[in-house]
């Protein structure tokens, strides 16, 4: 079989690799605690599930939808206005995507030619690299360093790179690094994008997961942002609807027009009952989001404090659903991950899987309840890897 040359860019993901290894291990010992994948463990609000099942019983709901319904677009506009004080034109500044993943991986095809440069956070969410590989573009890594509060340093980007760049991906609150953007940083991004004619793609999938009142800023709320960019958002994490596959892109009208045209060639829309469930979530979900944040915040505190009690001191995330944990000296992140599986029965994701600057870290997803997280702490303690100080 002849494979296309571009397939060289696609290797087996670390999650598949870990899952094969875990399967082997589980046949030996069955109480593995998996904190590797960021899929919410909790259900959506009941009124969302009710909307889904109500519309699923309608025999007329089973045709192609082709595009987002007017009500879905209006619900997104309502959410952005009430949650982020951003005005969006429901018809021209919003489009559906089949989960934000769909938007992220297809975007470069519409705006980058082979060889064009795309600026990406390092470490960053792997879908950016997938989209870049599909378009045969070239990534330029913007390192996220602790000493810069995990924000990219735009002044470090060489001028000849900036001149060749066509897109810049940003992700705050981030995955795997749960950093938050500041308004000053976003203003700098707008200026940079205008100077070099770069489209900014803000991935805001974790917009509703934040703690201690540290509300994330929508890129679109920054003056001039709509002239240079778009924001992707998702129902997956905010309302625990990851399996429903629904998200949206909003912002610059011209970019939305081009992407909508491109997408009309790729798929035929999202199942109507799922759009109806999303409308319910976006218009009535504010207090659910608040309760969800309280659950994650409490998990975060219980786990970070638990780790500290056994001598593993990690930063307490201000947002998102992950802990980005520096690993003890003397380990690399892959060996450390396998040691945690072998000796503690706890699965995390090695940081290098998210880019070269992820070495020295592991990502821990807060996707289990507090009892299980405390049990994970106990198992880590018993592994003998850590020594409490
Ligand atoms: C940063 C980030 N963006 C986008 C996505 C994709 O989410 P979805 O396609 O479910 O909207 C994820 C999923 O984990 C993510 O972590």
């Amino acid at each position: 079989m002849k494979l296309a040359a571009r397939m060289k860019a696609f290797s087996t993901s670390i999650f598949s690799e870990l899952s094969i290894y875990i399967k082997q291990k589980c046949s030996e010992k069955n109480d593995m605690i998996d904190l590797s994948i960021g899929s919410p463990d909790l259900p959506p609000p009941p009124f969302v599930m009710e909307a889904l099942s109500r519309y699923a019983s309608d025999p007329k709901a089973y045709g192609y939808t082709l595009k987002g319904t007017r009500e879905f677009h209006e619900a997104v506009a309502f959410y952005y206005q009430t949650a982020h004080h951003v005005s969006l034109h429901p018809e021209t500044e919003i489009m559906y995507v089949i989960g934000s993943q769909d938007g992220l991986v297809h975007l470069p095809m519409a705006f980058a030619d082979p060889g064009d440069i795309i600026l990406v956070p390092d470490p960053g969410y792997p879908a950016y690299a997938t989209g870049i590989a599909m378009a045969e573009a070239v990534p330029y890594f913007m390192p996220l360093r602790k000493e810069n509060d995990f924000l990219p340093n735009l002044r470090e980007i060489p001028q000849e790179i900036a001149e060749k760049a066509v897109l810049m991906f940003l992700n705050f609150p981030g995955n795997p690094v749960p950093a938050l953007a500041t308004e000053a940083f976003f203003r700098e991004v707008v200026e940079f994008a205008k100077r070099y004619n770069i489209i900014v793609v803000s991935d805001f999938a974790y917009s509703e997961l934040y703690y201690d009142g540290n509300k994330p800023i929508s890129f679109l709320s920054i003056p001039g942002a709509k002239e240079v960019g778009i924001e992707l958002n998702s129902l997956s994490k905010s309302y625990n609807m990851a399996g429903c596959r629904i998200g949206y892109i909003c912002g610059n009208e011209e970019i939305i027009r081009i992407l909508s045209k491109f997408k009309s060639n790729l798929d035929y829309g999202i199942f109507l009952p799922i759009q109806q469930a999303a409308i319910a979530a976006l218009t009535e979900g504010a207090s659910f989001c608040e309760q969800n944040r309280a659950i994650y915040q409490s998990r975060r505190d219980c786990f970070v404090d638990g780790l500290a009690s056994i001598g593993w001191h990690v930063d307490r995330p201000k947002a998102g659903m992950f802990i980005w944990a520096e690993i003890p000296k003397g380990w690399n992140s892959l060996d450390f991950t396998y040691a945690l599986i072998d000796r503690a029965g706890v699965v995390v994701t090695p940081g290098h899987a998210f880019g070269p600057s992820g070495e020295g870290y592991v990502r821990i997803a807060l996707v289990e309840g507090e009892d299980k997280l405390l049990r994970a702490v106990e198992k880590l303690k018993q592994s003998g890897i850590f020594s409490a100080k």
Side-chain angles (χ1 to χ4, degrees):
M1 193 188 302
K2 178 192 171 292
L3 279 193
R6 76 177 66 79
M7 286 304 289
K8 286 200 193 86
F10 300 96
S11 54
T12 312
S13 86
I14 186 70
F15 298 108
S16 313
E17 247 174 68
L18 288 175
S19 123
I20 294 165
Y21 190 70
I22 296 162
K23 257 200 199 115
Q24 276 168 9
K25 285 272 147 189
C26 279
S27 53
E28 295 161 22
K29 198 161 66 123
N30 216 357
D31 63 342
M32 203 70 79
I33 298 180
D34 190 346
L35 306 177
S36 64
I37 297 188
S39 184
D41 57 311
L42 295 167
F47 62 85
V48 166
M49 293 191 279
E50 277 155 27
L52 183 60
S53 53
R54 192 167 64 250
Y55 284 92
S57 312
D58 178 356
K60 291 201 285 296
Y62 286 78
Y64 294 127
T65 54
L66 299 177
K67 51 188 189 162
T69 62
R70 187 170 52 83
E71 291 79 8
F72 173 67
H73 284 228
E74 280 168 0
V76 172
F78 171 83
Y79 167 74
Y80 257 77
Q81 188 64 59
T82 48
H84 302 291
H85 309 294
V86 170
S87 297
L88 293 169
H89 191 294
E91 253 172 60
T92 55
E93 292 182 326
I94 295 168
M95 65 181 280
Y96 80 93
V97 277
I98 305 176
S100 46
Q101 184 88 356
D102 169 28
L104 293 170
V105 300
H106 288 126
L107 245 158
M109 298 270 243
F111 297 102
D113 280 317
D116 280 348
I117 285 179
I118 298 183
L119 306 172
V120 275
D122 165 33
Y125 181 57
Y128 313 143
T130 303
I132 292 171
M134 279 166 62
E136 297 176 49
V138 180
Y140 180 86
F141 292 122
M142 302 183 290
L144 307 183
R145 299 194 194 91
K146 191 170 179 174
E147 58 271 24
N148 200 33
D149 294 327
F150 294 107
L151 296 174
N153 185 346
L154 302 183
R155 272 152 285 169
E156 272 181 2
I157 301 171
Q159 187 169 341
E160 66 274 18
I161 295 290
E163 280 165 359
K164 282 194 208 145
V166 291
L167 288 171
M168 176 194 276
F169 283 101
L170 294 174
N171 176 216
F172 301 103
N175 171 13
V177 184
L180 285 170
T182 59
E183 202 178 312
F185 172 72
F186 271 161
R187 281 178 186 269
E188 214 187 308
V189 169
V190 170
E191 216 176 278
F192 186 86
K194 282 187 177 168
R195 187 170 344 128
Y196 293 107
N197 195 23
I198 294 171
I199 294 174
V200 178
V201 181
S202 161
D203 179 354
F204 207 30
Y206 295 93
S207 61
E208 288 296 333
L209 294 184
Y210 59 91
Y211 315 112
D212 312 310
N214 290 300
K215 187 171 168 134
I217 305 168
S218 160
F219 177 66
L220 297 179
S221 69
I222 302 300
K226 256 198 216 175
E227 291 161 44
V228 295
I230 49 174
E231 193 151 83
L232 287 98
N233 209 329
S234 168
L235 283 279
S236 295
K237 318 286 168 151
S238 300
Y239 308 100
N240 298 335
M241 292 170 68
C244 291
R245 312 310 302 133
I246 184 161
Y248 51 91
I249 307 181
C250 46
N252 186 280
E253 190 176 330
E254 182 64 0
I255 300 175
I256 299 284
R257 192 182 61 74
I258 293 164
L259 282 174
S260 301
K261 185 169 88 175
F262 180 44
K263 244 184 98 53
S264 70
N265 292 271
L266 299 184
D267 61 70
Y268 291 134
I270 295 180
F271 187 38
L272 188 68
I274 293 176
Q275 295 199 42
Q276 293 295 347
I279 293 167
L282 289 163
T283 54
E284 297 164 47
S287 63
F288 171 82
C289 290
E290 211 169 305
Q291 291 158 24
N292 209 32
R293 281 193 283 278
I295 294 171
Y296 277 106
Q297 181 167 327
S298 181
R299 286 179 177 183
R300 172 200 71 169
D301 290 341
C302 132
F303 199 56
V304 169
D305 293 343
L307 292 181
S309 76
I310 62 165
W312 191 8
H313 299 275
V314 302
D315 287 345
R316 201 176 294 267
K318 291 185 181 140
M321 64 192 296
F322 304 103
I323 290 171
W324 184 237
E326 233 169 309
I327 62 178
K329 296 272 168 287
W331 290 92
N332 69 49
S333 58
L334 191 62
D335 290 347
F336 184 70
T337 298
Y338 279 110
L340 293 193
I341 297 174
D342 291 342
R343 288 159 63 178
V346 174
V347 192
V348 299
T349 312
H352 78 285
F354 302 96
S357 300
E359 186 48 72
Y361 289 85
V362 291
R363 188 194 76 172
I364 307 172
L366 294 167
V367 290
E368 292 287 359
E370 288 179 40
D371 285 354
K372 220 161 187 184
L373 290 173
L374 288 174
R375 170 94 191 103
V377 170
E378 189 52 37
K379 282 153 78 64
L380 290 167
K381 182 178 175 184
Q382 284 166 8
S383 72
I385 295 173
F386 306 94
S387 50
K389 276 181 212 132

